Amino acid sequence: INYEEEEDFLIVLMPIVRDAMIRRTARSVDRAFLLGAGAGADPVKGLATYDATSVVTADSSAGMSVANLRALRKDLGALGLDPAEVTFVVSTDAYFSLLEDTNFMTMDKVGPSATILTGQIGVVGNSPVLVSAEFPATAEGTTSGTTNIAGIAFNTNNFIVGNQRGLRMESQDLIETQRKALVASLRTGMTQI
């Protein structure tokens, strides 16, 4: 932020900047938990990078339906036996495909508008369905690594998430350029049990 902007618009501008930083941090955590590489500059290992016995993925070129989600749960084997322990996360394209499936039970049919509170968009066989915009755009071909993913299914009890440090926002004056640098950071991790 330039000094002039800070001096002229501090009261109006700072809440907007802070909110944008918090949203970006939340999206970064979402992306890391879903698609993180687990090494180097991307230290959190995301769900899509675990082996097929822990997390199963759906190919986005085939579209998405309730039958696809049930097949994902079946592919989890013993980890998919209890539907209350399975969670589905789908891409935005897959979400719109699910809305066209008459068997998909959206939250307006099965819950008290919980989407705002939990992000849950629906239920398949008593398993919550969440949507994330962090999956790559739909492409032709099969799923490979963290590309072309329409959705994933995993047993929530098979993973643990922890925060080593909560969200910290700091600022520093950069005298040479007459600006103020704003930085948001946190330490979080996820691992398979």
Side-chain angles (χ1 to χ4, degrees):
I1 300 174
N2 293 329
Y3 285 166
E4 292 83 10
E5 291 175 5
E6 184 178 5
E7 293 161 358
D8 295 342
F9 304 105
L10 182 62
I11 294 174
V12 177
L13 191 61
M14 285 309 290
I16 296 169
V17 171
R18 186 172 287 116
D19 288 348
M21 290 175 68
I22 291 169
R23 279 193 307 274
R24 178 144 185 183
T25 302
R27 288 192 67 189
S28 296
V29 170
D30 189 20
R31 183 170 183 76
F33 283 176
L34 291 173
L35 303 171
D42 196 1
V44 177
K45 184 173 181 181
L47 291 169
T49 58
Y50 280 95
D51 60 19
T53 59
S54 304
V55 178
V56 290
T57 59
D59 183 352
S60 62
S61 62
M64 182 58 71
S65 66
V66 170
N68 297 126
L69 293 178
R70 287 187 179 133
L72 286 177
R73 184 175 147 220
K74 178 182 175 185
D75 289 345
L76 282 173
L79 293 173
L81 290 176
D82 185 354
E85 294 179 356
V86 174
T87 298
F88 301 103
V89 182
V90 299
S91 69
T92 53
D93 291 335
Y95 167 64
F96 290 115
S97 294
L98 283 171
L99 289 178
E100 295 173 4
D101 189 335
T102 56
N103 294 323
F104 183 62
M105 301 300 285
T106 56
M107 290 309 291
D108 62 333
K109 296 176 187 170
V110 296
S113 302
T115 305
I116 296 172
L117 302 176
T118 65
Q120 184 175 339
I121 56 165
V123 175
V124 171
N126 201 30
S127 296
V129 180
L130 310 173
V131 66
S132 175
E134 299 309 314
F135 287 114
T138 301
E140 294 301 319
T142 58
T143 301
S144 61
T146 58
T147 61
N148 203 29
I149 297 172
I152 60 173
F154 62 98
N155 185 309
T156 53
N157 292 337
N158 198 33
F159 294 90
I160 188 167
V161 175
N163 287 326
Q164 289 89 3
R165 181 180 69 232
L167 181 62
R168 181 182 295 171
M169 298 187 74
E170 299 173 307
S171 63
Q172 179 181 9
D173 288 331
L174 304 173
I175 297 169
E176 307 84 29
T177 57
Q178 293 193 342
R179 294 175 186 240
K180 182 177 280 208
L182 301 172
V183 178
S185 67
L186 59 82
R187 279 190 71 203
T188 188
M190 177 179 67
T191 190
Q192 185 177 17
I193 299 175

